[in-house]
C-alpha cells in the first residue's frame, strides 16, 4: 500500500513537472492559451500513453482516470496567465524537465514490473515514459528534440530505470528502491546540466 501511494505521488509530480515544462515552451513561442494547454497536456501524458499502449494496458491511464488530463489542462492554462518567461526560461525548462524525467523513468519501470514485464522491458518502458512526452513537446514547439542531442538525457532516464529494476531484483524494498533510483537519475541529469556534460558525437 505504501509503495503504491509513493508511486502515485511521484506520478502526479511528474505529470505536473512535465505539463509546466510544456507550458514553458509555449510561453517562449508566444502561443495562445490553447497552445499552452495542448503543449502542456501532450508533454504530461505522452510518455505514459505510449507505455500503456506498448504494455497492452487498455484503456490508457488518463482514460481510466481523467483527472490526469484535467490536471495537465489546468496547470498549463494557469501558466498562460503568469508573466511571460524570458530567455532564462530555457534554464527553468531544463530543470523542470530533469525532475519529470527522473520521476517518470522510475514510475514507468515500476508500472511495467507490476504488469509482469521482464527487467529489460521494464527499463525500456521507464525510458519511454520519461522521454516521449518531451519529444512531442519539442517537435510541436519547433525545438530540436533534447533526446536526439548529445546531452546526457536518455542516459539519465536509463540510469534511473535500471537502478530501480536492479534494486528490486536484488531484494531491496520497493519504497527504498524508488527513492534511490529517483535520486540516481535526477543526480546524473542535474550534474549534466550544471557541468554541461554531453556524450561523444560522430566525427
Amino acid at each position: 500500500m505504501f509503495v503504491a501511494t509513493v508511486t502515485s505521488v511521484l506520478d502526479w509530480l511528474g505529470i505536473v513537472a512535465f505539463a509546466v515544462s510544456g507550458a514553458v515552451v509555449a510561453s517562449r513561442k508566444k502561443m495562445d492559451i490553447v497552445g499552452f494547454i495542448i503543449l502542456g497536456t501532450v508533454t504530461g501524458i505522452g510518455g505514459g500513453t505510449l507505455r500503456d499502449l506498448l504494455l497492452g494496458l487498455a484503456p490508457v491511464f488518463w482514460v481510466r482516470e481523467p483527472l490526469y488530463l484535467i490536471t495537465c489542462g489546468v496547470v498549463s492554462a494557469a501558466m498562460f496567465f503568469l508573466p511571460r518567461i524570458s530567455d532564462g526560461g530555457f534554464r527553468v525548462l531544463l530543470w523542470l524537465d530533469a525532475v519529470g524525467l527522473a520521476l517518470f523513468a522510475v514510475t514507468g519501470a515500476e508500472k511495467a514490473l507490476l504488469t509482469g514485464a521482464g527487467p529489460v522491458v521494464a527499463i525500456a518502458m521507464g525510458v519511454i515514459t520519461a522521454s516521449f512526452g518531451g519529444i512531442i513537446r519539442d517537435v510541436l514547439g519547433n525545438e530540436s528534440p533534447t533526446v536526439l542531442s548529445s546531452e546526457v538525457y536518455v542516459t539519465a532516464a536509463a540510469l534511473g530505470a535500471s537502478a530501480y529494476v536492479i534494486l528490486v531484483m536484488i531484494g531491496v524494498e520497493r519504497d527504498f528502491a524508488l527513492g534511490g533510483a529517483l535520486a540516481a537519475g535526477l543526480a546524473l541529469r542535474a550534474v549534466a546540466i550544471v557541468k554541461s556534460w554531453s556524450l561523444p558525437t560522430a566525427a
Side-chain angles (χ1 to χ4, degrees):
M1 179 66 71
F2 178 73
V3 175
T5 301
V6 172
T7 302
S8 179
V9 170
L10 292 179
D11 214 29
W12 279 106
L13 288 174
I15 287 282
V16 171
F18 265 179
V20 172
S21 79
V24 169
V25 172
S27 178
R28 294 179 67 220
K29 298 297 180 178
K30 294 182 170 58
M31 295 182 180
D32 61 20
I33 190 170
V34 175
F36 270 68
I37 293 172
I38 291 175
L39 216 56
T41 300
V42 297
T43 307
I45 67 174
T49 299
L50 181 58
R51 175 202 64 221
D52 284 3
L53 290 174
L54 291 174
L55 291 173
L57 300 176
V60 297
F61 73 100
W62 55 267
V63 176
R64 297 193 304 271
E65 182 49 80
L67 188 56
Y68 283 107
L69 198 63
I70 295 170
T71 299
C72 286
V74 170
V75 169
S76 304
M79 290 292 293
F80 177 79
F81 296 101
L82 295 178
R84 285 292 180 265
I85 296 171
S86 63
D87 290 340
F90 181 68
R91 203 71 180 171
V92 175
L93 172 62
L94 284 178
W95 285 106
L96 287 171
D97 195 59
V99 172
L101 183 83
L103 290 168
F104 275 174
V106 175
T107 59
E110 160 73 359
K111 290 188 176 182
L113 288 178
L114 291 176
T115 67
V120 174
V121 172
I123 292 170
M125 290 302 107
V127 172
I128 287 171
T129 307
S131 61
F132 193 71
I135 293 173
I136 300 174
R137 174 199 65 215
D138 292 342
V139 170
L140 293 180
N142 197 29
E143 301 269 346
S144 177
T146 308
V147 70
L148 298 180
S149 69
S150 59
E151 288 191 39
V152 178
Y153 189 81
V154 171
T155 308
L159 174 63
S162 299
Y164 179 72
V165 171
I166 291 171
L167 289 172
V168 169
M169 288 178 64
I170 64 176
V172 176
E173 291 187 19
R174 292 198 176 217
D175 50 343
F176 292 113
L178 281 168
L182 173 61
L186 182 56
L188 178 57
R189 182 62 182 138
V191 172
I193 292 174
V194 172
K195 300 291 187 181
S196 299
W197 282 358
S198 61
L199 297 174
T201 57

